[in-house]
Amino acid sequence: MIASTPNLLRIQRALKASGKRAYHDLVTLPGQKPVVSKGIPGYSGVSGHVVTVFGCTGFLGRYLVSKLAKQGTQVIIPYRDEDEARHFKPMGDLGQIEWDIRSEDQIAECVRHSDIVYNLAGRDFETKNFDFKSVHVDGAERIANVAAQCGVSRLVHVSHLNANAKSESKFYRTKAEGEERVKAAFPSATIVRPGTLFGYEDKLLTNMAVWPIWWKLNHGETKIRPVHVMDVAQALANLMSIPQVAGTLNLPGPSALTYNYLLEMVASVTLRPPSGAPVLPKAVASFLAKAAQSVWWPALSPDEVVRRFINDADVPGDWAAVGMAEPSEIENHAITYLRRYRSA
């Protein structure tokens, strides 16, 4: 049915009004750089912000890029492997730049047009080219230094909830050292400490469904505070519209759960009997993890074995500071990510 003339006029007026700019469309950044938004909010709109996301090809990075692009933000995508960046193309107005975390010139090329820089770069395991220190400490400091020199207004550095300079885990120690280096180079930086992430292609639920034996270390009594990757991505995206937030933000999950509880949940959702795998002593697990480093594909690292014996930090969450309520519980999403592991 053809719309009536009054309805067509109302549609035309609405479309015309959407193209007009209002006072709230103009935002002045701390460095006095103006940001002007226009258009209908969404992928087709323009937020006026230019954002660089280091570590965008990782688990959390791809969700953050999607959230930012959905707001009409121009996103700079630094990548090392072209195949890992292909899935970003349909997400919005994206710029793709090859980079090396060891090159200050390439980092500068990535951030010279940006008003916000997110650093999500990190490693779960060490390789011959990149150990924990080169990424979490030296790389983080290099990005912060270059961002400060290029006049970037804001820097958001993503660390880990368990970052601790005195931790037994080298991963957590370097995360803590990286935070200090970043704050020294970029004093107004926002440090974000999320808990253990779960979601599609995560290393928690999906790994428990395949390799339950490695989650029985410490008799499964280690407590973690898992948080949905979409909640953390939304929190990071919200920081773009929140005034300068200097300091540290903790983003843990709503509940502290043991690995035993999570293994039982995985078995229940996948309709499988609980795993009968034995509990490996820490020394045996460390020896097997060291031996597994000779294979070319990523395997459980010795430092990951150490982390399986460390409880997540018991600190209050700062979700309200990023404009969010409490994150969702893992039980509400388990079926979504574990359904494929059910037998036919």
Side-chain angles (χ1 to χ4, degrees):
M1 182 177 180
I2 300 177
S4 62
T5 301
N7 288 337
L8 288 175
L9 290 174
R10 279 196 293 270
I11 293 173
Q12 289 175 354
R13 291 194 189 104
L15 291 174
K16 185 177 180 180
S18 67
K20 293 182 178 179
R21 294 176 179 171
Y23 178 76
H24 64 266
D25 292 327
L26 173 62
V27 177
T28 304
L29 300 175
Q32 302 305 311
K33 176 183 176 182
V35 172
V36 182
S37 61
K38 63 180 180 179
I40 301 174
Y43 287 109
S44 299
V46 176
S47 71
H49 288 281
V50 180
V51 178
T52 299
V53 182
F54 292 103
C56 57
T57 57
F59 178 46
L60 174 59
R62 64 188 66 184
Y63 293 101
L64 173 58
V65 170
S66 178
K67 296 284 187 182
L68 294 173
K70 193 173 182 180
Q71 298 177 14
T73 303
Q74 182 180 1
V75 188
I76 307 300
I77 303 297
Y79 66 92
R80 291 192 298 133
D81 187 345
E82 187 173 356
D83 288 338
E84 293 180 350
R86 289 188 301 175
H87 56 275
F88 291 118
K89 291 185 180 296
M91 289 186 182
D93 186 8
L94 307 175
Q96 299 186 357
I97 302 174
E98 293 190 43
W99 78 299
D100 188 330
I101 198 171
R102 296 164 293 194
S103 171
E104 292 190 2
D105 291 338
Q106 291 185 10
I107 294 174
E109 178 68 18
C110 295
V111 305
R112 64 192 180 97
H113 296 298
S114 301
D115 48 83
I116 304 177
V117 171
Y118 290 89
N119 180 21
L120 280 62
R123 302 254 355 147
D124 280 333
F125 53 89
E126 296 182 298
T127 65
K128 64 180 180 179
N129 293 323
F130 296 99
D131 58 10
F132 290 140
K133 185 177 184 297
S134 66
V135 178
H136 299 160
V137 181
D138 299 335
E141 181 183 31
R142 193 172 294 116
I143 289 173
N145 276 325
V146 173
Q149 294 168 9
C150 292
V152 174
S153 300
R154 297 185 63 183
L155 172 65
V156 179
H157 176 76
V158 178
S159 182
H160 193 281
L161 186 65
N162 292 338
N164 189 329
K166 298 181 180 180
S167 176
E168 295 181 20
S169 166
K170 186 178 179 182
F171 176 89
Y172 294 146
R173 290 198 306 272
T174 54
K175 282 289 188 180
E177 186 179 353
E179 290 180 8
E180 296 303 317
R181 297 278 191 94
V182 167
K183 286 186 285 188
F186 203 111
S188 62
T190 302
I191 308 296
V192 179
R193 291 180 169 182
T196 304
L197 302 175
F198 68 88
Y200 282 113
E201 302 175 354
D202 66 7
K203 295 183 179 179
L204 183 64
L205 295 179
T206 55
N207 195 269
M208 282 184 169
V210 178
W211 292 102
I213 187 173
W214 295 115
W215 299 94
K216 287 191 169 186
L217 298 177
N218 197 26
H219 298 277
E221 296 177 356
T222 303
K223 292 183 178 180
I224 63 170
R225 303 177 67 182
V227 59
H228 196 200
V229 66
M230 296 293 285
D231 289 331
V232 177
Q234 186 62 59
L236 292 174
N238 288 351
L239 286 173
M240 188 175 65
S241 58
I242 296 175
Q244 189 79 21
V245 181
T248 302
L249 299 175
N250 295 307
L251 301 181
S255 302
L257 308 173
T258 64
Y259 286 143
N260 269 338
Y261 175 85
L262 293 174
L263 286 170
E264 291 174 1
M265 183 190 69
V266 169
S268 175
V269 173
T270 58
L271 305 180
R272 295 178 179 179
S275 172
V279 178
L280 296 178
K282 186 176 182 179
V284 174
S286 298
F287 173 79
L288 294 175
K290 290 178 182 178
Q293 300 312 297
S294 58
V295 299
W296 62 268
W297 61 86
L300 186 74
S301 70
D303 193 80
E304 286 180 280
V305 173
V306 175
R307 279 176 259 162
R308 299 285 164 87
F309 288 79
I310 300 176
N311 293 327
D312 275 0
D314 185 14
V315 294
D318 297 311
W319 293 96
V322 292
M324 296 182 63
E326 283 293 304
S328 52
E329 297 281 359
I330 192 171
E331 293 89 347
N332 298 336
H333 301 278
I335 185 64
T336 304
Y337 307 126
L338 294 172
R339 189 192 304 272
R340 58 179 172 156
Y341 293 103
R342 289 182 172 182
S343 58

